[in-house]
Amino acid sequence: MVRNRTLSAQVIEAILILVMLLISFMSLAPVVHVFSVSFSDNAAAAGGLVKFWPVGFTLESYRKILEEPHFFNAFLVSVKRVLLGGGINFVLTVMMAYPLSRSNKEFPHRTIYMWFMLFTMLFTGGIIPLYLTIKSLGMFNTIWALVLPGAVPVFNVILLMNFFRNLPKELSEAGYMDGAGPWYMMIRVYLPLSLPAMATVTLFSIVGHWNAFFDGMIFMRSAEYYPLQTYIQQLVVSQNAMLELDSSKLELLMKVSDKTLNAAKIVVSMVPILIIYPFLQKYFIHGIMLGSVKE
C-alpha cells in the first residue's frame, strides 16, 4: 500500500515537473527567439531562418540604435521618469492605501472614497480631455506630463490596501494602546511588514513608466524630450524618409530590416527590467509577516 502510494506520488511529481518544464520553455522561447533575431542578418531574419540561434551574426541593428544622436538623452529621460514617477506613485499609493484599509469607524466615509476610486479606474475622460488639460497647464515638453497623469495607480492602491487589511488587527490595537498615532503605525509598523506588497506595486510602477511610449508621442513636441520607448518607436524609417537618405545610410538599411530592428528595440527595452527584477523578486518569496504577532 505504501509502495503504491509512493509510486503514485512519484508519477504525479514527474508529471508536474514535465508540465513546469513545458511552461518554462513556452515562456522563454519567444524571448530567446527575439534575442536571436536581433543579432541575425537581415536576409536570414526576413526569410524566417532564425529560430533559437542567430544566423549571420551581426550587430548592425544595435549600431543603428546607438548611433542615433538622441539615444542616450532618451535613455536619461526614461531613467528620470522612472525615478520621479515611481517615487510619486509609491508615496501616493501608500498614503491612499493605508487610510482606505481602516474600518469605517476609524475612517468615516471610507466607502465613498472607495467608490470614487473605482469609478475613476473603470471610466476615463479620454485622450482629448487629457491632452487639453496638459496643454492648459503648460506641461508640454516637460517630465511632469509623463508622470502626473498616472500619479495615482488605482490598481496598486487596491492591491496594497487589501494587503494592509489582511495584516493582524492586533497590531493596530497594540499600537493604539501604546499611544501610537496613524503616521507612526503606517511608517514604523505596517510598511516594514508590507515589503512583499510594496515590492510588487513598485515593480508595476517601474515597468509601467519604462514601457510607456504613447504619452511621449502626444505630449512631447521635440525629439530631445522623448523617453526611450517613444524614441525607439520613432526609429522605424518611413518610405518617404528613405528617399532622402545618402548612399551610406541606404547601405546600412540593406543590412537592417524592420524585423531585426524591432527585435533589437525589444531587447534594449527588456535589459533594465531584467536587471532590476532580481533585486525585487526576493521579497515575493519571503513571508515577512510570519511571527509579527505573538501569543
Side-chain angles (χ1 to χ4, degrees):
M1 192 72 176
V2 176
R3 180 179 180 182
N4 293 334
R5 193 175 302 159
T6 303
L7 181 61
S8 300
Q10 292 177 350
V11 171
I12 294 175
E13 183 179 358
I15 294 174
L16 291 176
I17 291 175
L18 291 176
V19 171
M20 295 304 297
L21 289 175
L22 179 61
I23 294 175
S24 300
F25 174 78
M26 294 174 62
S27 301
L28 292 176
V31 178
V32 176
H33 175 71
V34 169
F35 269 90
S36 300
V37 170
S38 68
F39 289 107
S40 297
D41 182 68
N42 176 20
L49 302 178
V50 183
K51 301 302 180 183
F52 301 109
W53 191 258
V55 177
F57 183 86
T58 178
L59 298 175
E60 292 297 334
S61 296
Y62 293 95
R63 186 163 69 87
K64 175 69 169 67
I65 295 177
L66 294 175
E67 285 182 352
E68 294 292 331
H70 299 295
F71 176 82
F72 293 103
N73 181 69
F75 188 89
L76 293 177
V77 171
S78 284
V79 171
K80 182 179 178 181
R81 174 178 184 170
V82 168
L83 295 177
L84 182 60
I88 293 175
N89 290 156
F90 177 81
V91 172
L92 295 183
T93 298
V94 172
M95 293 186 66
M96 291 190 69
Y98 179 74
L100 289 174
S101 67
R102 303 298 87 197
S103 64
N104 288 323
K105 183 178 179 180
E106 296 176 276
F107 182 24
H109 309 299
R110 168 190 172 275
T111 305
I112 297 176
Y113 290 99
M114 196 65 210
W115 278 109
F116 179 77
M117 283 183 50
L118 291 176
F119 182 85
T120 61
M121 187 172 78
L122 298 175
F123 303 98
T124 61
I127 297 177
I128 295 177
L130 178 61
Y131 180 89
L132 295 177
T133 301
I134 297 298
K135 181 179 180 181
S136 63
L137 295 176
M139 292 195 300
F140 280 150
N141 288 334
T142 66
I143 192 66
W144 302 110
L146 303 178
V147 300
L148 290 184
V152 182
V154 179
F155 177 79
N156 291 355
V157 172
I158 295 175
L159 187 67
L160 189 58
M161 178 197 70
N162 288 330
F163 190 90
F164 285 154
R165 289 172 67 91
N166 289 329
L167 292 176
K169 295 182 179 179
E170 290 82 357
L171 291 173
S172 298
E173 296 173 357
Y176 293 146
M177 289 180 63
D178 292 339
W183 285 99
Y184 184 91
M185 291 296 300
M186 181 182 71
I187 297 175
R188 300 298 297 274
V189 178
Y190 276 80
L191 290 187
L193 295 175
S194 305
L195 289 181
M198 288 191 295
T200 301
V201 299
T202 300
L203 185 62
F204 288 164
S205 296
I206 291 175
V207 173
H209 280 293
W210 185 262
N211 289 336
F213 74 95
F214 185 69
D215 50 0
M217 293 174 58
I218 61 177
F219 297 143
M220 302 295 118
R221 301 297 183 85
S222 176
E224 62 181 308
Y225 301 107
Y226 282 168
L228 182 61
Q229 302 300 328
T230 304
Y231 167 78
I232 291 178
Q233 193 275 338
Q234 298 291 323
L235 285 181
V236 178
V237 182
S238 64
Q239 294 296 327
N240 293 331
M242 290 180 62
L243 299 177
E244 303 175 0
L245 298 179
D246 55 29
S247 58
S248 61
K249 293 186 177 180
L250 284 173
E251 182 181 355
L252 177 60
L253 286 177
M254 294 297 292
K255 302 177 183 178
V256 179
S257 66
D258 286 348
K259 191 170 184 178
T260 57
L261 186 60
N262 289 336
K265 288 190 280 184
I266 295 174
V267 172
V268 172
S269 302
M270 287 191 302
V271 169
I273 302 301
L274 293 176
I275 295 175
I276 293 174
Y277 181 78
F279 296 97
L280 298 178
Q281 189 267 347
K282 62 180 181 180
Y283 293 108
F284 300 149
I285 59 178
H286 290 296
I288 297 180
M289 190 182 66
L290 296 178
S292 60
V293 178
K294 298 182 179 179
E295 298 291 341

PDB file of all heavy atoms in Angstrom, residues 197-228:
ATOM      1  N   ALA A 197       4.379  43.294  -0.721  1.00  0.00           N
ATOM      2  CA  ALA A 197       3.369  44.037  -1.481  1.00  0.00           C
ATOM      3  C   ALA A 197       3.950  45.313  -2.070  1.00  0.00           C
ATOM      4  O   ALA A 197       3.657  45.673  -3.221  1.00  0.00           O
ATOM      5  CB  ALA A 197       2.172  44.364  -0.586  1.00  0.00           C
ATOM      6  N   MET A 198       4.789  46.007  -1.302  1.00  0.00           N
ATOM      7  CA  MET A 198       5.381  47.244  -1.815  1.00  0.00           C
ATOM      8  C   MET A 198       6.356  46.957  -2.955  1.00  0.00           C
ATOM      9  O   MET A 198       6.443  47.735  -3.907  1.00  0.00           O
ATOM     10  CB  MET A 198       6.081  47.992  -0.679  1.00  0.00           C
ATOM     11  CG  MET A 198       5.113  48.618   0.314  1.00  0.00           C
ATOM     12  SD  MET A 198       5.932  49.752   1.446  1.00  0.00           S
ATOM     13  CE  MET A 198       7.007  48.614   2.325  1.00  0.00           C
ATOM     14  N   ALA A 199       7.084  45.841  -2.864  1.00  0.00           N
ATOM     15  CA  ALA A 199       7.967  45.469  -3.970  1.00  0.00           C
ATOM     16  C   ALA A 199       7.157  45.176  -5.225  1.00  0.00           C
ATOM     17  O   ALA A 199       7.566  45.529  -6.338  1.00  0.00           O
ATOM     18  CB  ALA A 199       8.804  44.250  -3.583  1.00  0.00           C
ATOM     19  N   THR A 200       5.993  44.576  -5.053  1.00  0.00           N
ATOM     20  CA  THR A 200       5.142  44.260  -6.200  1.00  0.00           C
ATOM     21  C   THR A 200       4.624  45.520  -6.870  1.00  0.00           C
ATOM     22  O   THR A 200       4.732  45.682  -8.094  1.00  0.00           O
ATOM     23  CB  THR A 200       3.962  43.384  -5.754  1.00  0.00           C
ATOM     24  OG1 THR A 200       4.453  42.182  -5.156  1.00  0.00           O
ATOM     25  CG2 THR A 200       3.077  43.027  -6.935  1.00  0.00           C
ATOM     26  N   VAL A 201       4.050  46.438  -6.086  1.00  0.00           N
ATOM     27  CA  VAL A 201       3.499  47.668  -6.689  1.00  0.00           C
ATOM     28  C   VAL A 201       4.610  48.555  -7.238  1.00  0.00           C
ATOM     29  O   VAL A 201       4.411  49.261  -8.237  1.00  0.00           O
ATOM     30  CB  VAL A 201       2.631  48.427  -5.663  1.00  0.00           C
ATOM     31  CG1 VAL A 201       1.445  47.581  -5.216  1.00  0.00           C
ATOM     32  CG2 VAL A 201       3.439  48.874  -4.456  1.00  0.00           C
ATOM     33  N   THR A 202       5.786  48.522  -6.603  1.00  0.00           N
ATOM     34  CA  THR A 202       6.911  49.291  -7.129  1.00  0.00           C
ATOM     35  C   THR A 202       7.358  48.746  -8.473  1.00  0.00           C
ATOM     36  O   THR A 202       7.649  49.511  -9.408  1.00  0.00           O
ATOM     37  CB  THR A 202       8.086  49.260  -6.138  1.00  0.00           C
ATOM     38  OG1 THR A 202       7.677  49.835  -4.887  1.00  0.00           O
ATOM     39  CG2 THR A 202       9.274  50.050  -6.677  1.00  0.00           C
ATOM     40  N   LEU A 203       7.405  47.427  -8.596  1.00  0.00           N
ATOM     41  CA  LEU A 203       7.769  46.815  -9.868  1.00  0.00           C
ATOM     42  C   LEU A 203       6.740  47.148 -10.947  1.00  0.00           C
ATOM     43  O   LEU A 203       7.103  47.436 -12.090  1.00  0.00           O
ATOM     44  CB  LEU A 203       7.893  45.305  -9.703  1.00  0.00           C
ATOM     45  CG  LEU A 203       8.397  44.528 -10.925  1.00  0.00           C
ATOM     46  CD1 LEU A 203       9.799  44.977 -11.304  1.00  0.00           C
ATOM     47  CD2 LEU A 203       8.375  43.031 -10.660  1.00  0.00           C
ATOM     48  N   PHE A 204       5.460  47.132 -10.578  1.00  0.00           N
ATOM     49  CA  PHE A 204       4.417  47.512 -11.537  1.00  0.00           C
ATOM     50  C   PHE A 204       4.622  48.945 -12.031  1.00  0.00           C
ATOM     51  O   PHE A 204       4.487  49.232 -13.225  1.00  0.00           O
ATOM     52  CB  PHE A 204       3.036  47.380 -10.903  1.00  0.00           C
ATOM     53  CG  PHE A 204       2.586  45.959 -10.709  1.00  0.00           C
ATOM     54  CD1 PHE A 204       1.526  45.660  -9.872  1.00  0.00           C
ATOM     55  CD2 PHE A 204       3.222  44.923 -11.363  1.00  0.00           C
ATOM     56  CE1 PHE A 204       1.108  44.354  -9.696  1.00  0.00           C
ATOM     57  CE2 PHE A 204       2.821  43.610 -11.188  1.00  0.00           C
ATOM     58  CZ  PHE A 204       1.754  43.319 -10.349  1.00  0.00           C
ATOM     59  N   SER A 205       4.937  49.844 -11.105  1.00  0.00           N
ATOM     60  CA  SER A 205       5.134  51.247 -11.484  1.00  0.00           C
ATOM     61  C   SER A 205       6.355  51.411 -12.377  1.00  0.00           C
ATOM     62  O   SER A 205       6.320  52.147 -13.373  1.00  0.00           O
ATOM     63  CB  SER A 205       5.276  52.114 -10.228  1.00  0.00           C
ATOM     64  OG  SER A 205       4.090  52.104  -9.452  1.00  0.00           O
ATOM     65  N   ILE A 206       7.447  50.749 -12.012  1.00  0.00           N
ATOM     66  CA  ILE A 206       8.671  50.856 -12.798  1.00  0.00           C
ATOM     67  C   ILE A 206       8.446  50.342 -14.218  1.00  0.00           C
ATOM     68  O   ILE A 206       8.807  50.997 -15.204  1.00  0.00           O
ATOM     69  CB  ILE A 206       9.814  50.087 -12.111  1.00  0.00           C
ATOM     70  CG1 ILE A 206      10.226  50.789 -10.814  1.00  0.00           C
ATOM     71  CG2 ILE A 206      11.018  49.954 -13.040  1.00  0.00           C
ATOM     72  CD1 ILE A 206      11.258  50.026 -10.009  1.00  0.00           C
ATOM     73  N   VAL A 207       7.829  49.164 -14.328  1.00  0.00           N
ATOM     74  CA  VAL A 207       7.581  48.588 -15.651  1.00  0.00           C
ATOM     75  C   VAL A 207       6.633  49.475 -16.448  1.00  0.00           C
ATOM     76  O   VAL A 207       6.823  49.695 -17.648  1.00  0.00           O
ATOM     77  CB  VAL A 207       7.017  47.164 -15.511  1.00  0.00           C
ATOM     78  CG1 VAL A 207       6.584  46.622 -16.871  1.00  0.00           C
ATOM     79  CG2 VAL A 207       8.050  46.237 -14.893  1.00  0.00           C
ATOM     80  N   GLY A 208       5.592  49.995 -15.787  1.00  0.00           N
ATOM     81  CA  GLY A 208       4.647  50.854 -16.480  1.00  0.00           C
ATOM     82  C   GLY A 208       5.294  52.116 -17.026  1.00  0.00           C
ATOM     83  O   GLY A 208       5.063  52.492 -18.184  1.00  0.00           O
ATOM     84  N   HIS A 209       6.102  52.780 -16.215  1.00  0.00           N
ATOM     85  CA  HIS A 209       6.770  54.001 -16.675  1.00  0.00           C
ATOM     86  C   HIS A 209       7.819  53.701 -17.746  1.00  0.00           C
ATOM     87  O   HIS A 209       7.972  54.463 -18.708  1.00  0.00           O
ATOM     88  CB  HIS A 209       7.422  54.719 -15.495  1.00  0.00           C
ATOM     89  CG  HIS A 209       6.469  55.529 -14.680  1.00  0.00           C
ATOM     90  ND1 HIS A 209       5.839  56.651 -15.161  1.00  0.00           N
ATOM     91  CD2 HIS A 209       6.020  55.380 -13.395  1.00  0.00           C
ATOM     92  CE1 HIS A 209       5.054  57.165 -14.233  1.00  0.00           C
ATOM     93  NE2 HIS A 209       5.135  56.406 -13.157  1.00  0.00           N
ATOM     94  N   TRP A 210       8.544  52.597 -17.582  1.00  0.00           N
ATOM     95  CA  TRP A 210       9.606  52.303 -18.532  1.00  0.00           C
ATOM     96  C   TRP A 210       9.051  51.922 -19.901  1.00  0.00           C
ATOM     97  O   TRP A 210       9.630  52.275 -20.931  1.00  0.00           O
ATOM     98  CB  TRP A 210      10.480  51.168 -17.990  1.00  0.00           C
ATOM     99  CG  TRP A 210      11.670  50.887 -18.855  1.00  0.00           C
ATOM    100  CD1 TRP A 210      11.800  49.908 -19.795  1.00  0.00           C
ATOM    101  CD2 TRP A 210      12.893  51.619 -18.882  1.00  0.00           C
ATOM    102  NE1 TRP A 210      13.026  49.979 -20.397  1.00  0.00           N
ATOM    103  CE2 TRP A 210      13.722  51.022 -19.849  1.00  0.00           C
ATOM    104  CE3 TRP A 210      13.377  52.714 -18.165  1.00  0.00           C
ATOM    105  CZ2 TRP A 210      14.992  51.487 -20.132  1.00  0.00           C
ATOM    106  CZ3 TRP A 210      14.648  53.185 -18.442  1.00  0.00           C
ATOM    107  CH2 TRP A 210      15.440  52.573 -19.412  1.00  0.00           C
ATOM    108  N   ASN A 211       7.941  51.204 -19.934  1.00  0.00           N
ATOM    109  CA  ASN A 211       7.399  50.724 -21.200  1.00  0.00           C
ATOM    110  C   ASN A 211       6.458  51.712 -21.880  1.00  0.00           C
ATOM    111  O   ASN A 211       6.076  51.493 -23.037  1.00  0.00           O
ATOM    112  CB  ASN A 211       6.655  49.405 -20.992  1.00  0.00           C
ATOM    113  CG  ASN A 211       7.590  48.252 -20.694  1.00  0.00           C
ATOM    114  OD1 ASN A 211       8.762  48.295 -21.047  1.00  0.00           O
ATOM    115  ND2 ASN A 211       7.087  47.222 -20.048  1.00  0.00           N
ATOM    116  N   ALA A 212       6.056  52.783 -21.210  1.00  0.00           N
ATOM    117  CA  ALA A 212       5.110  53.732 -21.795  1.00  0.00           C
ATOM    118  C   ALA A 212       5.762  54.506 -22.938  1.00  0.00           C
ATOM    119  O   ALA A 212       6.892  54.967 -22.821  1.00  0.00           O
ATOM    120  CB  ALA A 212       4.594  54.685 -20.723  1.00  0.00           C
ATOM    121  N   PHE A 213       5.049  54.644 -24.032  1.00  0.00           N
ATOM    122  CA  PHE A 213       5.573  55.396 -25.180  1.00  0.00           C
ATOM    123  C   PHE A 213       4.541  56.348 -25.774  1.00  0.00           C
ATOM    124  O   PHE A 213       4.896  57.376 -26.355  1.00  0.00           O
ATOM    125  CB  PHE A 213       6.053  54.436 -26.274  1.00  0.00           C
ATOM    126  CG  PHE A 213       4.950  53.764 -27.029  1.00  0.00           C
ATOM    127  CD1 PHE A 213       4.487  54.292 -28.231  1.00  0.00           C
ATOM    128  CD2 PHE A 213       4.362  52.604 -26.554  1.00  0.00           C
ATOM    129  CE1 PHE A 213       3.466  53.680 -28.939  1.00  0.00           C
ATOM    130  CE2 PHE A 213       3.339  51.985 -27.253  1.00  0.00           C
ATOM    131  CZ  PHE A 213       2.887  52.524 -28.442  1.00  0.00           C
ATOM    132  N   PHE A 214       3.253  56.040 -25.622  1.00  0.00           N
ATOM    133  CA  PHE A 214       2.233  56.826 -26.309  1.00  0.00           C
ATOM    134  C   PHE A 214       2.132  58.241 -25.756  1.00  0.00           C
ATOM    135  O   PHE A 214       1.959  59.204 -26.516  1.00  0.00           O
ATOM    136  CB  PHE A 214       0.880  56.119 -26.205  1.00  0.00           C
ATOM    137  CG  PHE A 214      -0.206  56.795 -26.991  1.00  0.00           C
ATOM    138  CD1 PHE A 214      -0.182  56.789 -28.376  1.00  0.00           C
ATOM    139  CD2 PHE A 214      -1.239  57.448 -26.353  1.00  0.00           C
ATOM    140  CE1 PHE A 214      -1.175  57.413 -29.109  1.00  0.00           C
ATOM    141  CE2 PHE A 214      -2.229  58.074 -27.078  1.00  0.00           C
ATOM    142  CZ  PHE A 214      -2.209  58.062 -28.459  1.00  0.00           C
ATOM    143  N   ASP A 215       2.237  58.395 -24.428  1.00  0.00           N
ATOM    144  CA  ASP A 215       2.157  59.740 -23.862  1.00  0.00           C
ATOM    145  C   ASP A 215       3.317  60.611 -24.318  1.00  0.00           C
ATOM    146  O   ASP A 215       3.171  61.823 -24.492  1.00  0.00           O
ATOM    147  CB  ASP A 215       2.090  59.687 -22.335  1.00  0.00           C
ATOM    148  CG  ASP A 215       3.172  58.813 -21.732  1.00  0.00           C
ATOM    149  OD1 ASP A 215       3.985  58.252 -22.496  1.00  0.00           O
ATOM    150  OD2 ASP A 215       3.203  58.678 -20.496  1.00  0.00           O
ATOM    151  N   GLY A 216       4.485  60.004 -24.528  1.00  0.00           N
ATOM    152  CA  GLY A 216       5.606  60.768 -25.067  1.00  0.00           C
ATOM    153  C   GLY A 216       5.340  61.261 -26.474  1.00  0.00           C
ATOM    154  O   GLY A 216       5.802  62.344 -26.869  1.00  0.00           O
ATOM    155  N   MET A 217       4.588  60.494 -27.257  1.00  0.00           N
ATOM    156  CA  MET A 217       4.276  60.886 -28.625  1.00  0.00           C
ATOM    157  C   MET A 217       3.339  62.089 -28.686  1.00  0.00           C
ATOM    158  O   MET A 217       3.461  62.939 -29.570  1.00  0.00           O
ATOM    159  CB  MET A 217       3.646  59.713 -29.375  1.00  0.00           C
ATOM    160  CG  MET A 217       4.572  58.543 -29.615  1.00  0.00           C
ATOM    161  SD  MET A 217       3.721  57.137 -30.362  1.00  0.00           S
ATOM    162  CE  MET A 217       3.078  57.872 -31.856  1.00  0.00           C
ATOM    163  N   ILE A 218       2.392  62.172 -27.742  1.00  0.00           N
ATOM    164  CA  ILE A 218       1.386  63.233 -27.825  1.00  0.00           C
ATOM    165  C   ILE A 218       1.733  64.452 -26.973  1.00  0.00           C
ATOM    166  O   ILE A 218       1.221  65.545 -27.240  1.00  0.00           O
ATOM    167  CB  ILE A 218      -0.008  62.698 -27.427  1.00  0.00           C
ATOM    168  CG1 ILE A 218       0.001  62.175 -25.986  1.00  0.00           C
ATOM    169  CG2 ILE A 218      -0.454  61.613 -28.387  1.00  0.00           C
ATOM    170  CD1 ILE A 218      -1.363  61.697 -25.515  1.00  0.00           C
ATOM    171  N   PHE A 219       2.588  64.292 -25.958  1.00  0.00           N
ATOM    172  CA  PHE A 219       2.893  65.413 -25.075  1.00  0.00           C
ATOM    173  C   PHE A 219       4.265  66.030 -25.339  1.00  0.00           C
ATOM    174  O   PHE A 219       4.536  67.130 -24.869  1.00  0.00           O
ATOM    175  CB  PHE A 219       2.830  64.975 -23.609  1.00  0.00           C
ATOM    176  CG  PHE A 219       1.468  64.517 -23.174  1.00  0.00           C
ATOM    177  CD1 PHE A 219       1.330  63.458 -22.290  1.00  0.00           C
ATOM    178  CD2 PHE A 219       0.337  65.145 -23.641  1.00  0.00           C
ATOM    179  CE1 PHE A 219       0.086  63.030 -21.890  1.00  0.00           C
ATOM    180  CE2 PHE A 219      -0.928  64.727 -23.245  1.00  0.00           C
ATOM    181  CZ  PHE A 219      -1.048  63.663 -22.376  1.00  0.00           C
ATOM    182  N   MET A 220       5.140  65.332 -26.025  1.00  0.00           N
ATOM    183  CA  MET A 220       6.473  65.846 -26.315  1.00  0.00           C
ATOM    184  C   MET A 220       6.515  66.344 -27.757  1.00  0.00           C
ATOM    185  O   MET A 220       6.262  65.576 -28.690  1.00  0.00           O
ATOM    186  CB  MET A 220       7.538  64.768 -26.095  1.00  0.00           C
ATOM    187  CG  MET A 220       7.563  64.199 -24.690  1.00  0.00           C
ATOM    188  SD  MET A 220       8.014  65.387 -23.423  1.00  0.00           S
ATOM    189  CE  MET A 220       6.518  65.408 -22.430  1.00  0.00           C
ATOM    190  N   ARG A 221       6.835  67.596 -27.955  1.00  0.00           N
ATOM    191  CA  ARG A 221       6.851  68.193 -29.295  1.00  0.00           C
ATOM    192  C   ARG A 221       8.213  68.096 -29.970  1.00  0.00           C
ATOM    193  O   ARG A 221       8.324  68.372 -31.155  1.00  0.00           O
ATOM    194  CB  ARG A 221       6.432  69.666 -29.187  1.00  0.00           C
ATOM    195  CG  ARG A 221       5.055  69.875 -28.598  1.00  0.00           C
ATOM    196  CD  ARG A 221       3.988  69.264 -29.474  1.00  0.00           C
ATOM    197  NE  ARG A 221       2.652  69.509 -28.982  1.00  0.00           N
ATOM    198  CZ  ARG A 221       1.938  70.593 -29.234  1.00  0.00           C
ATOM    199  NH1 ARG A 221       2.468  71.581 -29.955  1.00  0.00           N
ATOM    200  NH2 ARG A 221       0.720  70.731 -28.770  1.00  0.00           N
ATOM    201  N   SER A 222       9.244  67.757 -29.231  1.00  0.00           N
ATOM    202  CA  SER A 222      10.593  67.689 -29.780  1.00  0.00           C
ATOM    203  C   SER A 222      11.237  66.366 -29.392  1.00  0.00           C
ATOM    204  O   SER A 222      10.985  65.824 -28.301  1.00  0.00           O
ATOM    205  CB  SER A 222      11.450  68.848 -29.261  1.00  0.00           C
ATOM    206  OG  SER A 222      12.780  68.741 -29.722  1.00  0.00           O
ATOM    207  N   ALA A 223      12.083  65.818 -30.290  1.00  0.00           N
ATOM    208  CA  ALA A 223      12.706  64.516 -30.052  1.00  0.00           C
ATOM    209  C   ALA A 223      13.629  64.523 -28.843  1.00  0.00           C
ATOM    210  O   ALA A 223      13.858  63.482 -28.230  1.00  0.00           O
ATOM    211  CB  ALA A 223      13.475  64.079 -31.291  1.00  0.00           C
ATOM    212  N   GLU A 224      14.155  65.679 -28.463  1.00  0.00           N
ATOM    213  CA  GLU A 224      15.078  65.730 -27.329  1.00  0.00           C
ATOM    214  C   GLU A 224      14.375  65.463 -26.004  1.00  0.00           C
ATOM    215  O   GLU A 224      15.028  65.185 -24.997  1.00  0.00           O
ATOM    216  CB  GLU A 224      15.780  67.077 -27.278  1.00  0.00           C
ATOM    217  CG  GLU A 224      14.840  68.257 -27.085  1.00  0.00           C
ATOM    218  CD  GLU A 224      15.588  69.567 -27.060  1.00  0.00           C
ATOM    219  OE1 GLU A 224      16.549  69.668 -26.274  1.00  0.00           O
ATOM    220  OE2 GLU A 224      15.210  70.486 -27.809  1.00  0.00           O
ATOM    221  N   TYR A 225      13.043  65.520 -25.979  1.00  0.00           N
ATOM    222  CA  TYR A 225      12.282  65.265 -24.757  1.00  0.00           C
ATOM    223  C   TYR A 225      11.635  63.879 -24.752  1.00  0.00           C
ATOM    224  O   TYR A 225      10.933  63.542 -23.806  1.00  0.00           O
ATOM    225  CB  TYR A 225      11.190  66.328 -24.582  1.00  0.00           C
ATOM    226  CG  TYR A 225      11.710  67.735 -24.495  1.00  0.00           C
ATOM    227  CD1 TYR A 225      11.554  68.625 -25.558  1.00  0.00           C
ATOM    228  CD2 TYR A 225      12.372  68.185 -23.352  1.00  0.00           C
ATOM    229  CE1 TYR A 225      12.035  69.918 -25.477  1.00  0.00           C
ATOM    230  CE2 TYR A 225      12.852  69.476 -23.273  1.00  0.00           C
ATOM    231  CZ  TYR A 225      12.682  70.339 -24.343  1.00  0.00           C
ATOM    232  OH  TYR A 225      13.168  71.618 -24.267  1.00  0.00           O
ATOM    233  N   TYR A 226      11.868  63.096 -25.790  1.00  0.00           N
ATOM    234  CA  TYR A 226      11.260  61.773 -25.867  1.00  0.00           C
ATOM    235  C   TYR A 226      11.834  60.835 -24.802  1.00  0.00           C
ATOM    236  O   TYR A 226      13.046  60.794 -24.597  1.00  0.00           O
ATOM    237  CB  TYR A 226      11.513  61.142 -27.229  1.00  0.00           C
ATOM    238  CG  TYR A 226      10.635  61.656 -28.354  1.00  0.00           C
ATOM    239  CD1 TYR A 226      10.935  61.355 -29.671  1.00  0.00           C
ATOM    240  CD2 TYR A 226       9.505  62.425 -28.096  1.00  0.00           C
ATOM    241  CE1 TYR A 226      10.145  61.821 -30.713  1.00  0.00           C
ATOM    242  CE2 TYR A 226       8.720  62.892 -29.123  1.00  0.00           C
ATOM    243  CZ  TYR A 226       9.034  62.592 -30.427  1.00  0.00           C
ATOM    244  OH  TYR A 226       8.250  63.046 -31.450  1.00  0.00           O
ATOM    245  N   PRO A 227      10.980  60.052 -24.140  1.00  0.00           N
ATOM    246  CA  PRO A 227      11.511  58.931 -23.345  1.00  0.00           C
ATOM    247  C   PRO A 227      11.994  57.831 -24.277  1.00  0.00           C
ATOM    248  O   PRO A 227      11.726  57.850 -25.493  1.00  0.00           O
ATOM    249  CB  PRO A 227      10.295  58.480 -22.515  1.00  0.00           C
ATOM    250  CG  PRO A 227       9.110  58.928 -23.308  1.00  0.00           C
ATOM    251  CD  PRO A 227       9.516  60.187 -24.014  1.00  0.00           C
ATOM    252  N   LEU A 228      12.673  56.855 -23.727  1.00  0.00           N
ATOM    253  CA  LEU A 228      13.339  55.849 -24.556  1.00  0.00           C
ATOM    254  C   LEU A 228      12.368  55.079 -25.434  1.00  0.00           C
ATOM    255  O   LEU A 228      12.633  54.858 -26.621  1.00  0.00           O
ATOM    256  CB  LEU A 228      14.123  54.877 -23.661  1.00  0.00           C
ATOM    257  CG  LEU A 228      14.907  53.788 -24.394  1.00  0.00           C
ATOM    258  CD1 LEU A 228      15.946  54.401 -25.317  1.00  0.00           C
ATOM    259  CD2 LEU A 228      15.563  52.844 -23.402  1.00  0.00           C
TER     260      LEU A 228
END
